[in-house]
Amino acid sequence: MKSAFVALTGRPSAGKSTLMNTLCGHKISIVSPVPQTTRNKVRGIYNDRRGQLVFLDTPGYFSGEKKFNSYMHDVLSGALSEADILLYLIDLSRPPGQEEELLAGLVKKAKKPLVIGLNKSDLPGADAAAANAMIDKFGLTGEKIVLSGLSGTNSGLLLDKLFAAAEEGEPFYPGEYYTDQDPAFRISEIIREKAILKTRQEVPHALYIEIADMEMREEGKRLWVRGFLCVQRESQKGILIGRGGAVIKAIVQEAQAELNGIFPYAVQLDFRVRVRPKWKNNDSLLKHLIR
Ligand SMILES: Nc1nc2c(ncn2[C@@H]2O[C@H](COP(=O)(O)OP(=O)(O)OP(=O)(O)O)[C@@H](O)[C@H]2O)c(=O)[nH]1
Ligand SMILES: [Mg+2]
């Protein structure tokens, strides 16, 4: 049997979470068109007769100076050093640019077995020439593979390459596990995804989810969860509530429907919107939220 930790890295929106979900066959990480959707190290577990691969989805590499970004960088660095294999995803639909080069430098410095995914190959503008030139410039020596995480192109081939790079070893998790996220995190993430998908501009970046209470009711048949969608400004709160509460209502309904398909009990959400102006500078909160 083989087993390995595989860290997924790439710029924001390169398609890391989508690919991990496709490979593992479950919705594990949340996905949206908004860059910096993933803020945590999210584990997705793939098992077959060859062994086990534990994928580490990470926040997209973003070269900003702010405190919030530095916490996400720490999550990424932790995953890169923890991993046995790196899976570096390059979005072929966007020119590489300076940020991609900074990340390529980090990948090179990690000195780990490397597989490079040339992703979003399904898009009409996908162009591998610029990505290949950058890979050569940095002397990245990993296996290269053209992918589409969205449509699953070459997923089987990618798994073959990852198992080829993996060492022999026992599985890290029992075979029936596909993630190790606790219910509170999973619930928060799914609410955050629905909120990101229903809002625009600055709201997704200003948002975090706070869970205040969780209580199992009706002899384990229903989990009641109370909490808050927290944003930085009154105007953002107004957007999230919507006219007559329509937006928050839709977010809660969609999140509940998805959660009911995940857990073996019903999930009942009681959520309101709150303003927390300076949360992105609050170290103890960031330490709890971004890990
Ligand atoms: N056409 C196409 N779109 C993709 C593909 N993979 C991801 N996307 C889209 O790209 C957007 C970003 O996808 P994510 O999987 O959230 O990207 P990510 O790298 O996890 O982004 P962050 O978490 O923000 O770093 C979403 O709108 C996806 O539907 C792909 O292979 N092809
Ligand atoms: Mg992501």
Side-chain angles (χ1 to χ4, degrees):
M1 293 289 271
K2 290 191 156 193
S3 62
F5 280 88
V6 181
L8 271 149
T9 190
R11 287 156 79 198
S13 278
K16 301 173 290 298
S17 302
T18 302
L19 178 67
M20 185 174 82
N21 293 346
T22 297
L23 293 174
C24 296
H26 292 275
K27 161 91 174 278
I28 298 169
S29 258
I30 62 167
V31 166
S32 93
V34 179
Q36 295 196 301
T37 292
T38 304
R39 294 173 175 171
N40 303 73
K41 184 174 69 186
V42 180
R43 290 188 183 83
I45 303 157
Y46 174 83
N47 294 294
D48 70 18
R49 56 186 170 70
R50 291 170 288 187
Q52 183 172 82
L53 299 172
V54 180
F55 292 97
L56 307 172
D57 188 14
T58 64
Y61 177 80
F62 179 76
S63 57
E65 294 289 308
K66 298 212 170 105
K67 194 188 274 272
F68 179 71
N69 290 320
S70 83
Y71 274 88
M72 300 218 288
H73 276 193
D74 290 348
V75 173
L76 172 59
S77 313
L80 294 184
S81 59
E82 185 184 338
D84 304 304
I85 302 169
L86 303 190
L87 174 50
Y88 172 25
L89 278 196
I90 302 176
D91 177 351
L92 295 184
S93 70
R94 285 189 296 167
Q98 195 192 9
E99 196 170 66
E100 190 78 68
E101 296 207 347
L102 286 171
L103 177 55
L106 275 188
V107 168
K108 174 87 182 169
K109 219 172 91 190
K111 294 199 182 94
K112 296 271 169 99
L114 176 65
V115 176
I116 302 170
L118 304 173
N119 199 32
K120 302 200 186 181
S121 62
D122 58 290
L123 288 175
D127 170 24
N132 281 322
M134 191 205 66
I135 291 164
D136 291 345
K137 178 174 160 188
F138 281 83
L140 297 178
T141 48
E143 289 259 20
K144 273 191 282 187
I145 175 162
V146 172
L147 298 173
S148 165
L150 193 63
S151 54
T153 308
N154 285 339
S155 290
L157 205 56
L158 173 61
L159 289 168
D160 292 347
K161 290 191 192 298
L162 293 171
F163 273 115
E167 306 263 348
E168 286 190 9
E170 292 300 310
F172 302 100
Y173 294 91
E176 69 275 17
Y177 279 39
Y178 64 88
T179 187
D180 68 344
Q181 300 168 73
D182 62 55
F185 178 75
R186 203 123 189 242
I187 291 167
S188 305
E189 286 290 271
I190 287 171
I191 296 170
R192 194 162 65 84
E193 180 191 65
K194 304 309 168 208
I196 291 173
L197 295 173
K198 292 228 173 291
T199 53
R200 306 237 174 286
Q201 289 158 3
E202 88 270 34
V203 179
H205 297 288
L207 174 70
Y208 77 92
I209 307 299
E210 181 185 317
I211 291 191
D213 289 303
M214 282 175 72
E215 193 181 281
M216 196 53 94
R217 293 181 174 172
E218 294 169 25
E219 291 161 351
K221 289 204 199 89
R222 187 161 57 92
L223 180 69
W224 172 81
V225 190
R226 186 178 72 89
F228 302 93
L229 289 90
C230 303
V231 283
Q232 290 169 301
R233 282 203 284 275
E234 284 295 336
S235 58
Q236 297 160 347
K237 179 177 170 180
I239 295 170
L240 267 181
I241 292 173
R243 197 174 291 171
V247 176
I248 176 83
K249 216 176 277 171
I251 291 168
V252 164
Q253 268 171 8
E254 285 178 23
Q256 243 168 216
E258 188 168 323
L259 290 163
N260 286 338
I262 291 176
F263 294 108
Y265 39 77
V267 177
Q268 183 192 351
L269 302 175
D270 179 358
F271 273 72
R272 279 148 215 260
V273 186
R274 233 185 209 180
V275 178
R276 287 269 186 264
K278 300 211 168 78
W279 73 266
K280 281 197 170 180
N281 285 317
N282 180 338
D283 280 293
S284 61
L285 178 66
L286 290 174
K287 247 180 240 161
H288 165 74
L289 283 180
I290 302 177
R291 60 203 153 100

